[in-house]
Amino acid sequence: MGTALWRDYAYMLGLAVSVLERPDPEPHWSLVLSELARGLHASAVSLSEVHHTKRTGRVVAWKCADEVSQEYLDSLTVRHVRLGNPLVEHYATTGDRTPRSATQIRGERPWLRSESHSLARGTFGAHMLGIPLPAPVGAARGFVLHHVRDDFTEEELAYARRVQPLLVSIDAHYRARAQWCEAAARVPAGAAGSGPVRTAPAPAAAPAPAPAPAPRAERAAEQGITPRQFAVLTLLAKALPATAIAHRLHISPRTAHKHIESLYRRLGTCDRLSTVMRAQSLGLLPPPSMDC
């Protein structure tokens, strides 16, 4: 990617870290959509989910210049599904998760002659790009971006591929929080401290206590992570840049970068956010706050 798009990626990375650290449970997609639209020079961007076989769809969040209603966008999404929009058909039926433009999927001439292209041209922009998120078979979920005049460039497609893991992590974070909050809401108020006392029959034999979980540093050692690398990982989780990590640990920035690269290799990741998310899933770092 060029210098400008690398800078845009850095902005998105910083935004992703900020979003993941927010304590409030409500998704802040507007910030993400605005940055995505800016980085890809899009006239409109939406987070949509559709079911290919049921021919249904809805828009979760959107960003565009015109004032439009949820009902209008949902109906527009369903029309694209029923007209055989290439983004919908491709991502709902192939399992591919690579960001692609409608032209790449369908071919330039067939896309320009399609009814779905005419619909896009008459609304938010003739050229469309999809950045998919994980979804069940037969469904598609992801970001849809529009260009009014020119198609998406190779450099913009590279940027889309680069930010996709950040978007997947943000989406997974919001969905996990929503599931947790829904589960918490189903617990009756005062369930733990009110109501009649019921005595359960004594078990035949008390079960053996579960073994205490291994300290995080020990788990890190099992992954081949050294104590110094573990210290760097802990500071990465606080969104500190390499220079600040170096200052905290009294090492050079170059050494800090080497430790970060080693963590990428150990955890099979490619950037800071995915490294922190992977470490949390392995129990090397505390999970994100789930306060509602």
Side-chain angles (χ1 to χ4, degrees):
M1 293 190 298
T3 302
L5 287 184
W6 271 113
R7 185 181 61 247
D8 291 338
Y9 171 76
Y11 290 155
M12 181 64 80
L13 176 61
L15 176 59
V17 172
S18 174
V19 165
L20 293 174
E21 289 183 340
R22 283 177 177 268
D24 51 317
E26 289 300 318
H28 287 266
W29 282 122
S30 60
L31 300 174
V32 177
L33 296 178
S34 294
E35 181 57 33
L36 198 57
R38 190 189 67 81
L40 286 167
H41 317 104
S43 56
V45 55
S46 66
L47 171 58
S48 305
E49 51 188 24
V50 302
H51 199 290
H52 182 250
T53 54
K54 294 180 180 179
R55 294 293 194 246
T56 58
R58 73 184 188 98
V59 172
V60 178
W62 67 93
K63 182 74 175 179
C64 59
D66 300 326
E67 288 291 334
V68 292
S69 67
Q70 176 83 51
E71 292 75 18
Y72 172 77
L73 290 171
D74 288 348
S75 66
L76 191 64
T77 300
V78 171
R79 288 177 65 189
H80 273 293
V81 173
R82 294 176 177 174
L83 289 174
N85 182 281
L87 299 179
V88 174
E89 293 192 341
H90 181 77
Y91 291 124
T93 62
T94 66
D96 181 28
R97 291 293 177 264
T98 305
R100 300 183 188 278
S101 67
T103 301
Q104 285 181 311
I105 295 171
R106 184 64 57 85
E108 183 176 7
R109 184 169 295 181
W111 165 240
L112 294 178
R113 292 179 175 178
S114 69
E115 292 182 273
S116 191
H117 172 267
S118 297
L119 179 60
R121 184 181 58 196
T123 52
F124 298 122
H127 304 283
M128 300 179 70
L129 167 68
I131 304 179
L133 299 171
V137 176
R141 176 182 172 87
F143 298 91
V144 178
L145 299 102
H146 292 259
H147 273 185
V148 174
R149 295 182 180 179
D150 301 324
D151 207 347
F152 291 87
T153 66
E154 287 298 325
E155 190 174 32
E156 289 169 333
L157 291 168
Y159 170 77
R161 292 190 295 268
R162 185 64 174 165
V163 301
Q164 185 186 33
L166 304 179
L167 301 173
V168 169
S169 296
I170 294 171
D171 183 56
H173 173 74
Y174 280 147
R175 290 164 75 89
R177 288 182 67 90
Q179 292 171 2
W180 189 91
C181 291
E182 287 174 7
R186 289 195 293 268
V187 178
S194 63
V197 176
R198 301 179 184 274
T199 304
R216 295 190 179 99
E218 292 182 13
R219 296 187 195 134
E222 292 172 0
Q223 298 292 327
I225 296 173
T226 67
R228 181 49 61 96
Q229 290 169 354
F230 182 65
V232 171
L233 178 63
T234 303
L235 295 176
L236 277 182
K238 297 180 179 180
L240 293 183
T243 51
I245 292 173
H247 180 74
R248 287 277 191 97
L249 299 179
H250 303 287
I251 58 178
S252 69
R254 181 178 179 184
T255 301
H257 280 295
K258 287 184 177 180
H259 286 317
I260 293 170
E261 291 171 1
S262 296
L263 287 169
Y264 292 169
R265 291 193 297 271
R266 293 291 185 187
L267 298 177
T269 54
C270 61
D271 57 48
R272 296 172 180 231
L273 180 59
S274 59
T275 299
V276 171
M277 298 289 288
R278 174 66 174 158
Q280 288 173 337
S281 70
L282 293 173
L284 310 183
L285 293 171
S289 171
M290 299 296 282
D291 295 335
C292 291

